[in-house]
Every structure is written in C-alpha cells, then in structure tokens.
C-alpha cells in the first residue's frame, strides 16, 4: 500500500456510499452488478430518485405561467434548482445559468447562437485532439454554414494537451477555442485556466465541455475564467434529459435566441416579438422541471459527501486500478497523462474490446467498449476501440478486484 492510501484510511466510506444507490444492489446474469461505466452515465442515489418522485407526486404543474399554487410550487422548485447549480459552479448569477437537454445541446446552442452570426469565411475554431464528438460536430456544422475552419491542437502519446500547443494554434483568425475539461476517452484533465488565458490574449472566447469534470472535481467557472461551460446532469448522479450552459452574461445578452416558442418571449404579435430576459431567452418551451429538481438533489448529494473527498477517493481508486491493470499481461493503457480523472482506457492483445466487454458483462462487470464518441482519439492511438472502466463516488476497491478477476477470466477464454 502506498503512502497516499495510508494517509486517509477512514475518511471516506465507499461501502456506505454504495448503499445509497439502489440499482447497485441488483444482479446481472446471476452475478452481483459491478458498475464501471459511470463516465457514460452515473447511477442515481435514493435521495435523487425520491426528490423526483416527490416532485411528480405532490408539486407538478407547468412553470412560469400559472398563478395557481401548484404552478408556483413547481416554479419555485425549478428556480431553486437553478440557484443550486449557480452555487455549485460559482456562476456570476442565475441569469448565467441556462437549462438545456445536456452538454450536447449546450454546445450546439453556443455554436448556433454565439458563433454562427459572428463567424466569417476563413475564421478559425480551435478544438483539441481529444474532444468528444459533441464538441466537434456542432463546430463542423457551423463551419459549413459560415465558411469558418475547424482546427485541432495536438496531444502527445500520453494524451496530454499542453497550453503551449494550444497557444501555438491560436492566431488572429481564431474566434473560438473549445476544449474538454476532462477527456471521456482518456481521463486527461486539461489546463483550462491557462487555455482561457491564451485564448483571451488573442481575443478568442473559450467554451469548456465540462461533462466529465463536474462530478469529479470542484469547478469554479469564475476562477477558470471561461466564457461558456457546458455539462450534463446524468453524469453527476442526476436525471437524464437535463444539462446546463453557463455563459458570461455579457455574451449571452448579445446572443440571439436559438429556439423560438413559449417562455422565451415577452410579447408576441405577428409583426414583432420581443424576447424574454436571461436565462429564459434560451429556454423555449416547457423545460424538464423534474430533471432540474433531480439535478438539484444530485448536487445536494455530492455536497453531502464532499467533492474533495469524492475526488480523493476516486484518485486512490485510479492509482490502485492503474497499478493492477498495468500488471495484466498484454494490457496496454491508453491515456497515461499525469493529471487524470477516474477513467482508465485499455486494450488487451488478442482480444477485441467488444469481446472483452461481452465476457466481462457475463461476469456482472459493466465497462464501456467502443470509440467512446471520440473517433479521432482512437485513430491517433491506432486502435479501433478501447475498453474503458470509469469510477464514481460509489465505486469500491472490491469493484476493481472484480474487474481484475474478470479480465483474468477473459484471458483464459482467449488463452
Ligand atoms: N462531452 C463529453 C466529454 C462527454 O463525455 C459526453 C458524454 N459522453 C458529452 C460531451 C455529451 O454529453 P451528453 O450526451 O450528456 O449531451
């Protein structure tokens, strides 16, 4: 056992946390479930399920519209959720917190509402080599619409993107830099604060895809000094179908609405429509009210455990899993950045990742296999796919033992 593990023996009770998540008690294929696919979607604790249930049972009505009691209760819960999100990421005000369907929609919103009206032919959008498709394709779409060009700053063989490389790819034509805070395929944590600085020095704005960061580490959008920050509730123990775009108020004010409809207007006539104030200008139609309530409960849950404690726990697991997996014969780790979040991608000689995933599933071990919506990353490492184990607050050391055991079985099968 290393020194770091010895330092914090009883601070974090992963067994107790595990018990907060009812789904983890179930079996698959007659085996206890070992859920190691939290980077794709995390599970929900009982408190989140109960909060959504309470809302649906007692408070549901449409928001922002009715004078009746239920509508006011629903509105109050929805707006309290917005305030909870604001505090969680330290946004300047609730006007800067836009509810969306998730990270994907948040990035598309910025591409269409911020970028599209501004980009001229030849302007550049700078991404990095490790982006999720959600932070590539919306930019390609807006590039096709405007004549702008999409570029990507490189990474090294460990999966590290350096500020120097990002800076070297920014020039006077670069209008937008968009990068992940944490890579879903490799686990790399990017130096977002420094990237914001080099982007701003050249007059570009920075969008950060925070889908894989918000559940694992403290995110302070003010300290990061990014212009837009996007994330999804379902990766942070909340419901699916809801996410957030945090944007600088000055920029959001300048941006035209993206979708039109109810709730985003002040007045409508056939001649002219005036738009609602922030953030409602970007929230056309009935929002995902129960999703927002669930997201707020998820934030309450995370904060009840303490993000720093979750982070330390996951880092211990990462260290231990990395050590154990590195000892598996024929196993190659894909993504070995010094600063990583709780994701381990790997391949095993002679076993296709999909076959590996199937064998592990039969053992009750759920990992992700495939390109992880990051095909350029797979191409860079010269692999069609990887297997990926990802950890969360409820992952236990015994889950990693189960993974290692199942990998040994897979090697026997393919012996
Ligand atoms: N970016 C990253 C880094 C992700 O991991 C994901 C989800 N896999 C997304 C964006 C897209 O998130 P969503 O599907 O919730 O919109």
């Amino acid at each position: 056992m290393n020194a770091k593990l010895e330092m914090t023996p009883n601070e974090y009770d992963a067994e107790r946390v595990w018990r907060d998540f009812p789904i983890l008690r179930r079996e698959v294929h007659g085996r206890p479930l070992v859920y190691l696919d939290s980077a794709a979607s995390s599970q929900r604790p009982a408190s989140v399920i109960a909060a959504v249930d309470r809302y649906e049972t007692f408070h549901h009505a449409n928001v922002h519209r009715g004078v009746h009691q239920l509508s006011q209760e629903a509105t109050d819960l929805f707006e309290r959720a917005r305030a909870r999100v604001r505090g969680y990421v330290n946004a300047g005000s609730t006007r800067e917190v836009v509810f969306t369907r998730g990270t994907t929609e948040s990035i598309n919103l910025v591409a269409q509402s911020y970028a599209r009206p501004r980009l001229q032919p030849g302007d550049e959008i700078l991404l990095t080599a490790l982006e999720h498709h959600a932070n590539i394709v919306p930019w390609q779409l807006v590039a096709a619409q405007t004549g702008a060009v999409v570029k990507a700053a490189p990474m090294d063989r460990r999966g590290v993107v350096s500020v120097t490389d990002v800076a070297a790819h920014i020039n006077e034509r670069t209008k937008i830099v968009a990068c992940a805070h944490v890579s879903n395929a490799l686990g790399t944590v990017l130096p977002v604060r420094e990237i914001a600085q080099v982007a701003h020095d050249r007059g570009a704005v920075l969008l950060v895809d925070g889908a894989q960061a918000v559940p694992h580490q403290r995110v302070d959008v003010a300290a990061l000094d990014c212009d837009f920050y996007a994330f999804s509730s379902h990766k942070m123990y909340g419901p699916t179908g809801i996410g957030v775009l945090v944007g600088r108020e000055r920029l959001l004010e300048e941006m035209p609405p993206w979708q039109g409809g109810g709730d985003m207007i002040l007045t409508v006539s056939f001649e002219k429509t005036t738009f609602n104030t922030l953030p409602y200008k970007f929230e056309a139609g009935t929002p995902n009210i129960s999703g927002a309530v669930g997201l707020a409960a998820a934030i309450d849950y995370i904060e009840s455990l303490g993000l720093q404690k979750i982070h330390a726990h996951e880092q211990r697991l990462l260290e231990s899993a990395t050590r154990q997996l590195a000892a598996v014969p024929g196993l190659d780790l894909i993504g070995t950045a010094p600063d990583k979040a709780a994701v381990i991608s790997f391949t095993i000689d002679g076993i296709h990742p999909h076959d590996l995933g199937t064998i592990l599933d039969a053992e009750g071990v759920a990992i992700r296999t495939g390109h992880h919506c990051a095909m350029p990353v797979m191409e860079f490492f010269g692999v069609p796919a990887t297997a990926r184990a990802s950890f969360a607050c409820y992952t236990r050391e015994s889950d990693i033992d189960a993974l290692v055991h199942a990998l040994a079985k897979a090697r026997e099968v393919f012996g």
Side-chain angles (χ1 to χ4, degrees):
M1 200 183 259
N2 65 29
K4 218 167 153 191
L5 283 171
E6 280 166 0
M7 262 163 43
T8 48
N10 296 317
E11 248 188 35
Y12 191 88
D13 186 351
E15 282 295 336
R16 189 188 65 71
V17 174
W18 182 89
R19 285 197 293 275
D20 289 339
F21 291 76
I23 201 170
L24 298 177
R25 278 176 232 143
R26 65 161 285 184
E27 297 190 336
V28 291
H29 310 303
R31 308 283 179 121
L33 169 66
V34 175
Y35 189 75
L36 296 174
D37 195 19
S38 298
S41 199
S42 59
Q43 299 297 348
R44 324 312 181 217
S47 60
V48 168
I49 297 167
V52 172
D53 192 52
R54 236 179 358 259
Y55 169 76
E56 300 289 9
T57 309
F58 297 110
H59 305 293
H60 172 67
N62 212 332
V63 290
H64 303 144
R65 288 169 201 184
V67 291
H68 62 77
Q69 180 65 22
L70 285 189
S71 177
Q72 293 196 11
E73 287 173 16
T75 302
D76 187 42
L77 285 166
F78 186 65
E79 291 306 327
R80 268 200 267 164
R82 195 190 307 276
R84 199 75 186 88
V85 170
R86 188 214 68 73
Y88 186 66
V89 295
N90 195 27
S93 81
T94 50
R95 290 187 299 282
E96 298 191 324
V97 177
V98 178
F99 281 126
T100 63
R101 278 195 303 127
T103 310
T104 303
E105 189 171 76
S106 297
I107 298 173
N108 277 279
L109 193 167
V110 176
Q112 289 302 312
S113 173
Y114 176 81
R116 191 173 177 178
R118 286 174 173 74
L119 291 174
Q120 300 292 322
D123 281 349
E124 295 182 10
I125 303 161
L126 181 65
L127 313 179
T128 82
L130 53 63
E131 299 308 316
H132 186 282
H133 298 165
N135 201 26
I136 300 175
V137 184
W139 303 114
Q140 290 174 330
L141 293 174
V142 75
Q145 288 157 343
T146 58
V149 181
V150 173
K151 301 230 158 140
M155 62 180 160
D156 68 17
R157 297 302 298 174
R158 299 169 301 168
V160 171
V161 175
S162 76
V163 188
T164 321
D165 276 333
V166 173
H169 284 73
I170 301 178
N171 59 49
E172 66 289 347
R173 307 249 46 185
T174 311
K175 296 294 180 293
I176 295 155
V177 179
C179 70
H181 197 168
V182 172
S183 156
N184 67 309
L186 302 169
T188 311
V189 180
L190 279 79
V192 169
R193 172 74 194 87
E194 291 78 3
I195 292 176
Q197 174 93 51
V198 295
H200 293 157
D201 284 351
R202 303 289 188 91
V205 297
L206 174 67
L207 174 138
V208 179
D209 167 357
Q212 297 293 343
V214 279
H216 304 295
Q217 62 187 69
R218 171 66 58 205
V219 169
D220 179 331
V221 292
L224 293 176
D225 198 26
C226 57
D227 302 285
F228 300 102
Y229 197 96
F231 57 98
S232 302
S233 146
H234 70 98
K235 298 194 194 273
M236 52 187 293
Y237 316 113
T240 52
I242 183 145
V244 177
L245 173 69
V246 177
R248 238 184 246 292
E249 183 168 349
R250 181 178 55 80
L251 300 179
L252 292 176
E253 283 290 6
E254 288 169 17
M255 288 158 56
W258 180 41
Q259 296 177 332
D263 239 24
M264 51 72 73
I265 54 86
L266 288 179
T267 62
V268 177
S269 72
F270 286 109
E271 289 71 41
K272 184 177 165 55
T273 288
T274 56
F275 302 124
N276 207 338
T277 50
L278 290 176
Y280 311 108
K281 182 171 81 172
F282 294 109
E283 293 180 358
T286 301
N288 184 349
I289 311 162
S290 66
V293 169
L295 171 56
I299 293 174
D300 287 344
Y301 181 77
I302 291 173
E303 298 207 323
S304 76
L305 299 183
L307 243 188
Q308 276 178 345
K309 287 187 182 170
I310 296 174
H311 182 71
H313 170 65
E314 291 175 350
Q315 288 295 312
R316 282 195 295 272
L317 291 174
L318 182 65
E319 227 175 272
S320 152
T322 304
R323 192 167 11 86
Q324 294 184 62
L325 291 196
V328 173
L331 188 145
D332 269 327
L333 293 171
I334 309 284
T336 50
D339 194 4
K340 272 184 70 170
V343 165
I344 301 193
S345 268
F346 57 95
T347 56
I348 297 190
D349 263 0
I351 314 180
H352 192 280
H354 289 298
D355 295 334
L356 192 60
T358 307
I359 296 172
L360 264 58
D361 180 53
E363 295 293 313
V365 179
I367 59 161
R368 190 69 156 192
T369 57
H371 53 62
H372 316 294
C373 296
M375 282 184 168
V377 173
M378 301 298 116
E379 198 182 325
F380 177 82
F381 285 99
V383 293
T386 72
R388 181 189 72 187
S390 52
F391 312 136
C393 67
Y394 43 71
T395 310
R396 303 160 302 172
E397 191 65 44
S398 60
D399 297 323
I400 291 167
D401 296 343
L403 169 67
V404 173
H405 184 76
L407 288 176
K409 270 228 163 135
R411 283 186 44 78
E412 273 168 30
V413 172
F414 281 86

